[in-house]
mmCIF file of all heavy atoms in Angstrom:
data_model
loop_
_atom_site.group_PDB
_atom_site.id
_atom_site.type_symbol
_atom_site.label_atom_id
_atom_site.label_comp_id
_atom_site.label_asym_id
_atom_site.label_seq_id
_atom_site.Cartn_x
_atom_site.Cartn_y
_atom_site.Cartn_z
ATOM 1 N N ALA A 1 6.282 16.826 4.276
ATOM 2 C CA ALA A 1 5.656 16.219 3.085
ATOM 3 C C ALA A 1 6.171 14.674 2.840
ATOM 4 O O ALA A 1 5.474 13.890 2.650
ATOM 5 C CB ALA A 1 5.828 17.000 1.858
ATOM 6 N N ILE A 2 7.473 14.694 3.130
ATOM 7 C CA ILE A 2 8.018 13.257 2.953
ATOM 8 C C ILE A 2 7.546 12.340 4.014
ATOM 9 O O ILE A 2 7.222 11.191 3.770
ATOM 10 C CB ILE A 2 9.514 13.308 2.969
ATOM 11 C CG1 ILE A 2 10.059 13.992 1.824
ATOM 12 C CG2 ILE A 2 10.211 11.929 3.032
ATOM 13 C CD1 ILE A 2 11.593 14.393 1.799
ATOM 14 N N ILE A 3 7.509 12.832 5.276
ATOM 15 C CA ILE A 3 7.044 11.965 6.406
ATOM 16 C C ILE A 3 5.602 11.661 6.230
ATOM 17 O O ILE A 3 5.099 10.433 6.479
ATOM 18 C CB ILE A 3 7.203 12.833 7.753
ATOM 19 C CG1 ILE A 3 8.778 12.847 8.047
ATOM 20 C CG2 ILE A 3 6.622 12.076 8.925
ATOM 21 C CD1 ILE A 3 9.142 13.832 9.150
ATOM 22 N N ASP A 4 4.869 12.630 5.913
ATOM 23 C CA ASP A 4 3.253 12.429 5.787
ATOM 24 C C ASP A 4 2.888 11.632 4.546
ATOM 25 O O ASP A 4 1.712 11.415 4.405
ATOM 26 C CB ASP A 4 2.597 13.732 5.766
ATOM 27 C CG ASP A 4 2.662 14.494 7.084
ATOM 28 O OD1 ASP A 4 2.838 13.757 8.206
ATOM 29 O OD2 ASP A 4 2.505 15.699 7.176
ATOM 30 N N SER A 5 3.843 11.352 3.642
ATOM 31 C CA SER A 5 3.440 10.617 2.463
ATOM 32 C C SER A 5 2.824 9.244 2.730
ATOM 33 O O SER A 5 2.031 8.678 1.846
ATOM 34 C CB SER A 5 4.701 10.526 1.539
ATOM 35 O OG SER A 5 5.674 9.639 2.097
ATOM 36 N N THR A 6 3.148 8.596 3.895
ATOM 37 C CA THR A 6 2.489 7.307 4.190
ATOM 38 C C THR A 6 0.959 7.404 4.500
ATOM 39 O O THR A 6 0.363 6.506 4.517
ATOM 40 C CB THR A 6 3.244 6.584 5.274
ATOM 41 O OG1 THR A 6 3.191 7.499 6.451
ATOM 42 C CG2 THR A 6 4.632 6.299 5.002
ATOM 43 N N ASP A 7 0.569 8.727 4.626
ATOM 44 C CA ASP A 7 -0.845 8.882 4.941
ATOM 45 C C ASP A 7 -1.714 8.989 3.672
ATOM 46 O O ASP A 7 -3.024 8.971 3.673
ATOM 47 C CB ASP A 7 -0.995 10.185 5.650
ATOM 48 C CG ASP A 7 -0.592 10.112 7.158
ATOM 49 O OD1 ASP A 7 -0.432 8.989 7.596
ATOM 50 O OD2 ASP A 7 -0.411 11.200 7.690
ATOM 51 N N GLU A 8 -1.023 8.932 2.408
ATOM 52 C CA GLU A 8 -1.827 9.013 1.272
ATOM 53 C C GLU A 8 -2.513 7.736 1.019
ATOM 54 O O GLU A 8 -2.016 6.636 1.263
ATOM 55 C CB GLU A 8 -0.788 9.220 0.052
ATOM 56 C CG GLU A 8 -0.098 10.588 0.085
ATOM 57 C CD GLU A 8 -0.914 11.801 -0.137
ATOM 58 O OE1 GLU A 8 -2.026 11.546 -0.738
ATOM 59 O OE2 GLU A 8 -0.569 12.993 0.400
ATOM 60 N N ASP A 9 -3.811 7.785 0.534
ATOM 61 C CA ASP A 9 -4.756 6.672 0.467
ATOM 62 C C ASP A 9 -4.064 5.566 -0.559
ATOM 63 O O ASP A 9 -4.336 4.385 -0.445
ATOM 64 C CB ASP A 9 -6.058 7.051 -0.033
ATOM 65 C CG ASP A 9 -6.769 7.828 0.994
ATOM 66 O OD1 ASP A 9 -6.427 7.633 2.248
ATOM 67 O OD2 ASP A 9 -7.673 8.567 0.715
ATOM 68 N N TYR A 10 -3.425 6.110 -1.528
ATOM 69 C CA TYR A 10 -2.855 5.118 -2.583
ATOM 70 C C TYR A 10 -1.887 4.146 -2.071
ATOM 71 O O TYR A 10 -1.748 3.089 -2.542
ATOM 72 C CB TYR A 10 -2.282 5.814 -3.803
ATOM 73 C CG TYR A 10 -0.861 6.326 -3.551
ATOM 74 C CD1 TYR A 10 0.278 5.472 -3.851
ATOM 75 C CD2 TYR A 10 -0.673 7.697 -3.102
ATOM 76 C CE1 TYR A 10 1.590 6.021 -3.714
ATOM 77 C CE2 TYR A 10 0.635 8.204 -2.887
ATOM 78 C CZ TYR A 10 1.658 7.434 -3.176
ATOM 79 O OH TYR A 10 2.932 7.805 -3.011
ATOM 80 N N ILE A 11 -1.166 4.478 -0.960
ATOM 81 C CA ILE A 11 -0.182 3.631 -0.301
ATOM 82 C C ILE A 11 -0.782 2.292 0.157
ATOM 83 O O ILE A 11 -0.443 1.136 -0.293
ATOM 84 C CB ILE A 11 0.495 4.342 0.803
ATOM 85 C CG1 ILE A 11 1.258 5.501 0.380
ATOM 86 C CG2 ILE A 11 1.431 3.288 1.602
ATOM 87 C CD1 ILE A 11 2.515 5.247 -0.332
ATOM 88 N N ASN A 12 -1.835 2.365 0.996
ATOM 89 C CA ASN A 12 -2.465 1.117 1.475
ATOM 90 C C ASN A 12 -3.182 0.442 0.346
ATOM 91 O O ASN A 12 -3.289 -0.816 0.367
ATOM 92 C CB ASN A 12 -3.405 1.508 2.625
ATOM 93 C CG ASN A 12 -2.653 1.646 3.905
ATOM 94 O OD1 ASN A 12 -1.560 1.221 4.069
ATOM 95 N ND2 ASN A 12 -3.299 2.278 4.856
ATOM 96 N N ARG A 13 -3.787 1.085 -0.667
ATOM 97 C CA ARG A 13 -4.416 0.493 -1.756
ATOM 98 C C ARG A 13 -3.414 -0.349 -2.526
ATOM 99 O O ARG A 13 -3.687 -1.517 -2.893
ATOM 100 C CB ARG A 13 -5.024 1.476 -2.722
ATOM 101 C CG ARG A 13 -6.272 2.237 -2.159
ATOM 102 C CD ARG A 13 -7.186 2.690 -3.283
ATOM 103 N NE ARG A 13 -6.383 3.715 -4.091
ATOM 104 C CZ ARG A 13 -6.409 4.970 -3.867
ATOM 105 N NH1 ARG A 13 -7.142 5.507 -2.944
ATOM 106 N NH2 ARG A 13 -5.642 5.845 -4.672
ATOM 107 N N SER A 14 -2.177 0.164 -2.745
ATOM 108 C CA SER A 14 -1.158 -0.635 -3.400
ATOM 109 C C SER A 14 -0.685 -1.812 -2.616
ATOM 110 O O SER A 14 -0.549 -2.894 -3.180
ATOM 111 C CB SER A 14 0.076 0.321 -3.709
ATOM 112 O OG SER A 14 -0.279 1.390 -4.551
ATOM 113 N N ILE A 15 -0.634 -1.610 -1.249
ATOM 114 C CA ILE A 15 -0.172 -2.876 -0.458
ATOM 115 C C ILE A 15 -1.267 -3.841 -0.467
ATOM 116 O O ILE A 15 -0.916 -4.983 -0.609
ATOM 117 C CB ILE A 15 0.085 -2.285 0.977
ATOM 118 C CG1 ILE A 15 1.271 -1.355 1.104
ATOM 119 C CG2 ILE A 15 0.228 -3.488 1.944
ATOM 120 C CD1 ILE A 15 1.508 -0.677 2.429
ATOM 121 N N LEU A 16 -2.540 -3.531 -0.451
ATOM 122 C CA LEU A 16 -3.605 -4.415 -0.490
ATOM 123 C C LEU A 16 -3.629 -5.178 -1.830
ATOM 124 O O LEU A 16 -3.895 -6.486 -1.877
ATOM 125 C CB LEU A 16 -4.950 -3.717 -0.337
ATOM 126 C CG LEU A 16 -5.227 -3.340 1.118
ATOM 127 C CD1 LEU A 16 -6.589 -2.347 1.168
ATOM 128 C CD2 LEU A 16 -5.475 -4.434 2.016
ATOM 129 N N LYS A 17 -3.356 -4.567 -3.017
ATOM 130 C CA LYS A 17 -3.205 -5.196 -4.249
ATOM 131 C C LYS A 17 -2.063 -6.270 -4.136
ATOM 132 O O LYS A 17 -2.222 -7.395 -4.752
ATOM 133 C CB LYS A 17 -2.930 -4.191 -5.303
ATOM 134 C CG LYS A 17 -4.219 -3.393 -5.642
ATOM 135 C CD LYS A 17 -3.968 -2.354 -6.723
ATOM 136 C CE LYS A 17 -5.199 -1.472 -7.077
ATOM 137 N NZ LYS A 17 -4.901 -0.525 -8.157
ATOM 138 N N LEU A 18 -0.856 -5.838 -3.721
ATOM 139 C CA LEU A 18 0.200 -6.808 -3.616
ATOM 140 C C LEU A 18 -0.108 -8.014 -2.757
ATOM 141 O O LEU A 18 0.213 -9.070 -3.114
ATOM 142 C CB LEU A 18 1.465 -6.006 -3.070
ATOM 143 C CG LEU A 18 2.133 -5.069 -3.867
ATOM 144 C CD1 LEU A 18 3.190 -4.292 -3.032
ATOM 145 C CD2 LEU A 18 2.829 -5.895 -5.088
ATOM 146 N N LYS A 19 -0.829 -7.750 -1.655
ATOM 147 C CA LYS A 19 -1.110 -8.876 -0.659
ATOM 148 C C LYS A 19 -2.103 -9.931 -1.403
ATOM 149 O O LYS A 19 -1.971 -11.100 -1.314
ATOM 150 C CB LYS A 19 -1.831 -8.311 0.621
ATOM 151 C CG LYS A 19 -0.890 -7.524 1.542
ATOM 152 C CD LYS A 19 -1.639 -6.921 2.678
ATOM 153 C CE LYS A 19 -2.301 -7.953 3.630
ATOM 154 N NZ LYS A 19 -2.413 -7.370 5.026
ATOM 155 N N GLU A 20 -3.018 -9.259 -2.179
ATOM 156 C CA GLU A 20 -4.006 -10.133 -2.921
ATOM 157 C C GLU A 20 -3.340 -10.858 -3.988
ATOM 158 O O GLU A 20 -3.600 -12.147 -4.190
ATOM 159 C CB GLU A 20 -5.156 -9.264 -3.383
ATOM 160 C CG GLU A 20 -6.267 -10.113 -3.987
ATOM 161 C CD GLU A 20 -7.365 -9.201 -4.515
ATOM 162 O OE1 GLU A 20 -7.426 -8.027 -4.162
ATOM 163 O OE2 GLU A 20 -8.243 -9.675 -5.285
ATOM 164 N N LYS A 21 -2.422 -10.283 -4.775
ATOM 165 C CA LYS A 21 -1.804 -10.895 -5.951
ATOM 166 C C LYS A 21 -0.863 -11.949 -5.582
ATOM 167 O O LYS A 21 -0.808 -12.989 -6.258
ATOM 168 C CB LYS A 21 -1.197 -9.677 -6.777
ATOM 169 C CG LYS A 21 -0.647 -10.205 -8.051
ATOM 170 C CD LYS A 21 -0.082 -9.107 -8.896
ATOM 171 C CE LYS A 21 0.512 -9.605 -10.191
ATOM 172 N NZ LYS A 21 1.092 -8.433 -11.040
ATOM 173 N N TYR A 22 -0.084 -11.628 -4.533
ATOM 174 C CA TYR A 22 1.032 -12.529 -4.279
ATOM 175 C C TYR A 22 0.760 -13.371 -2.917
ATOM 176 O O TYR A 22 1.700 -14.185 -2.490
ATOM 177 C CB TYR A 22 2.408 -11.802 -4.127
ATOM 178 C CG TYR A 22 2.784 -11.180 -5.377
ATOM 179 C CD1 TYR A 22 2.525 -9.772 -5.582
ATOM 180 C CD2 TYR A 22 3.236 -11.912 -6.439
ATOM 181 C CE1 TYR A 22 2.969 -9.257 -6.750
ATOM 182 C CE2 TYR A 22 3.688 -11.305 -7.590
ATOM 183 C CZ TYR A 22 3.534 -9.986 -7.771
ATOM 184 O OH TYR A 22 3.804 -9.303 -9.000
ATOM 185 N N ASP A 23 -0.305 -13.139 -2.204
ATOM 186 C CA ASP A 23 -0.683 -13.923 -1.067
ATOM 187 C C ASP A 23 0.502 -13.776 0.012
ATOM 188 O O ASP A 23 0.917 -14.754 0.546
ATOM 189 C CB ASP A 23 -0.938 -15.345 -1.313
ATOM 190 C CG ASP A 23 -1.484 -16.069 -0.150
ATOM 191 O OD1 ASP A 23 -2.236 -15.367 0.660
ATOM 192 O OD2 ASP A 23 -1.298 -17.323 0.002
ATOM 193 N N ILE A 24 0.893 -12.532 0.183
ATOM 194 C CA ILE A 24 2.051 -12.257 1.221
ATOM 195 C C ILE A 24 1.522 -11.438 2.294
ATOM 196 O O ILE A 24 0.546 -10.678 2.169
ATOM 197 C CB ILE A 24 3.251 -11.539 0.521
ATOM 198 C CG1 ILE A 24 2.768 -10.349 -0.188
ATOM 199 C CG2 ILE A 24 3.914 -12.540 -0.375
ATOM 200 C CD1 ILE A 24 3.915 -9.595 -0.947
ATOM 201 N N LYS A 25 2.202 -11.527 3.445
ATOM 202 C CA LYS A 25 1.780 -10.746 4.632
ATOM 203 C C LYS A 25 2.548 -9.418 4.593
ATOM 204 O O LYS A 25 3.775 -9.320 4.693
ATOM 205 C CB LYS A 25 2.149 -11.410 5.897
ATOM 206 C CG LYS A 25 1.274 -12.639 6.116
ATOM 207 C CD LYS A 25 1.674 -13.350 7.332
ATOM 208 C CE LYS A 25 0.674 -14.544 7.683
ATOM 209 N NZ LYS A 25 1.122 -15.294 9.040
#
């Protein structure tokens, strides 16, 4: 469950929000 947690959809959604907000790679 810990390993597979990166497969959760909210992870990439959160990363995309950070990329858009702070213009970071």
Side-chain angles (χ1 to χ4, degrees):
I2 293 171
I3 293 170
D4 291 335
S5 64
T6 57
D7 287 343
E8 298 291 337
D9 291 336
Y10 79 89
I11 297 289
N12 280 339
R13 285 203 304 267
S14 299
I15 292 173
L16 287 170
K17 286 180 182 178
L18 285 172
K19 291 175 68 158
E20 183 179 348
K21 184 175 181 180
Y22 296 105
D23 192 27
I24 52 177
K25 292 182 179 180

